[in-house]
Amino acid sequence: MNKRPVIIDTDPGIDDALAIAIALFSDELDVRLITTVAGNVSLKNVTNNTLKLLNFFEKDIPVAVGAAQPLIEPLVDASNVHGASGMEGFDFPEPKTDLLLKDHAVNAMRKVIMESEEPVTLVPIAPMTNIALLLAMYPEVKKNIREIVMMGGSAGRGNKGVMSEFNVATDPEAAKIVFDSGLPIVMAGLDVGWSALVYPQDSEKMLDMGKTGQMAYYLFKRYRGGSFNTGLKMYDSCAMAYLLCPEMFKVEETFVDIELNGEMTRGCTVVDLKGYLKKAPNAKVCTAIDGEKFREWFLESVSRCI
Ligand code: RIB
Ligand code: CA
């Protein structure tokens, strides 16, 4: 069976690192391109981290650099969660700079999509600035995009604002462009990310899984996306889990809009599960996850990595 062509848009980021590893070593996904965007830390750092990861994983995937800032507001990063470099806690090899394309991420995505023999799945696990720019500059790409499977948003409370999730809240205008695009969207938000947990006993098991497991163990010691003892949140791996093991999710088709103007709610994903707004569904929202199934799948996926 053909592997599914995907482009990963990312801001590593400790949870991004594991999501990228799982995608690269899966039998089902063909990672055609990785694009970087400012988010967890600066564009320079997320790009460096991506190139270090590809060197570490021994994978020659082309990388293209994207947006250094959200569309409208300045970047407020998440270095408090991931450390100053974005991947504190492990001594990675040098960045594999020969993987860097000269093209901007938006142009590189357009090229991969338009030249693909089958529709491409976009997997943004970061603020969606690059995706919004792609759709605004080159709307013709829509005809060869299979779907967008994103980590972001929340039907409930937030992790950046009271009601807003980091990726969407960092660039709400970009998220609105994506949700208004008419493309098939799968939203793997905090509603599942908060239950996609890795516990200390899981981290101990990863120590014996080879170098990716060992890397994860030491990164998790530093990661502040939850607590090492009560469970670390593998937000970005939820997007990969949807692609590779969708049966672990409860999914509801509904209308999602992005609040841009709320004084206290800007960046919130308004997930209209009860149809109050009487708008046609524009997204499949993952509203629940089998946490035990996730843990088994996550450990099995990491064990398949280098
Ligand atoms: O809210 C979680 C998201 O924000 C994840 O993608 C994490 O890496 C951060 O970017
Ligand atoms: Ca991320």
Side-chain angles (χ1 to χ4, degrees):
M1 183 181 74
N2 276 358
K3 284 189 162 189
R4 180 171 181 164
V6 301
I7 295 174
I8 300 174
D9 190 62
T10 184
D11 62 338
I14 290 173
D15 62 323
D16 299 69
L18 274 297
I20 291 167
I22 289 170
L24 291 175
F25 291 97
S26 74
D27 291 335
E28 298 89 351
L29 301 180
D30 173 11
V31 181
R32 300 274 180 89
L33 172 69
I34 297 179
T35 51
T36 61
V37 63
N40 281 320
V41 289
S42 70
L43 180 64
K44 179 174 179 294
N45 281 349
V46 300
T47 302
N48 247 345
N49 291 339
T50 300
L51 296 169
K52 287 180 180 178
L53 286 167
L54 290 172
N55 194 356
F56 180 80
F57 295 137
E58 300 169 27
K59 292 280 185 180
D60 287 346
I61 306 291
V63 174
V65 180
Q69 289 292 341
L71 294 180
I72 304 295
E73 290 189 344
L75 175 69
V76 176
D77 72 22
S79 49
N80 60 316
V81 173
H82 300 267
S85 72
M87 283 195 320
E88 295 295 336
F90 186 79
D91 186 16
F92 284 96
E94 286 307 302
K96 206 164 185 332
T97 51
D98 60 347
L99 296 175
L100 262 184
L101 299 177
K102 289 187 174 45
D103 277 353
H104 186 279
V106 172
N107 294 324
M109 283 195 277
R110 175 177 179 261
K111 192 167 181 322
V112 167
I113 292 164
M114 298 309 283
E115 291 177 0
S116 176
E117 67 293 345
E118 64 177 281
V120 176
T121 298
L122 305 185
V123 189
I125 51 175
M128 293 193 281
T129 316
N130 290 339
I131 311 299
L133 289 169
L134 170 73
L135 298 176
M137 289 169 64
Y138 303 115
E140 68 273 19
V141 298
K142 289 185 183 180
K143 64 177 179 290
N144 213 29
I145 292 174
R146 176 172 167 177
E147 72 184 336
I148 296 177
V149 179
M150 55 160 293
M151 189 282 139
S154 171
R157 305 192 74 77
N159 67 348
K160 176 155 186 181
V162 174
M163 303 302 287
S164 56
E165 177 276 329
F166 178 83
N167 287 338
V168 171
T170 296
D171 198 338
E173 281 75 15
K176 181 154 180 65
I177 288 169
V178 173
F179 276 93
D180 287 355
S181 68
L183 285 168
I185 292 172
V186 174
M187 179 182 126
L190 298 181
D191 316 283
V192 293
W194 272 331
S195 304
L197 299 175
V198 165
Y199 294 96
Q201 57 269 37
D202 303 318
S203 297
E204 293 300 329
K205 282 180 193 160
M206 286 191 271
L207 263 180
D208 302 328
M209 281 186 186
K211 70 176 197 172
T212 300
Q214 287 153 23
M215 172 201 78
Y217 178 86
Y218 290 106
L219 286 180
F220 290 172
K221 285 275 190 201
R222 176 56 189 80
Y223 180 45
R224 293 296 173 268
S227 135
F228 190 81
N229 293 317
T230 57
L232 295 173
K233 300 171 178 88
M234 296 294 108
Y235 296 116
D236 291 334
S237 290
C238 288
M240 303 307 170
Y242 180 86
L243 287 167
L244 297 168
C245 186
E247 60 272 17
M248 74 169 81
F249 294 97
K250 179 184 177 189
V251 177
E252 297 184 62
E253 292 210 49
T254 189
F255 175 72
V256 178
D257 204 345
I258 311 298
E259 174 58 60
L260 300 179
N261 305 306
E263 191 183 330
M264 292 180 278
T265 54
R266 175 171 158 76
C268 154
T269 38
V270 180
V271 181
D272 188 17
L273 293 170
K274 295 209 182 303
Y276 293 120
L277 301 175
K278 300 197 180 352
K279 294 275 185 77
N282 61 345
K284 289 178 181 173
V285 177
C286 298
T287 52
I289 187 173
D290 177 337
E292 258 323 290
K293 177 73 184 148
F294 175 84
R295 281 179 70 193
E296 285 162 28
W297 168 84
F298 183 83
L299 289 174
E300 196 276 329
S301 300
V302 172
S303 72
R304 295 152 64 98
C305 298
I306 195 168

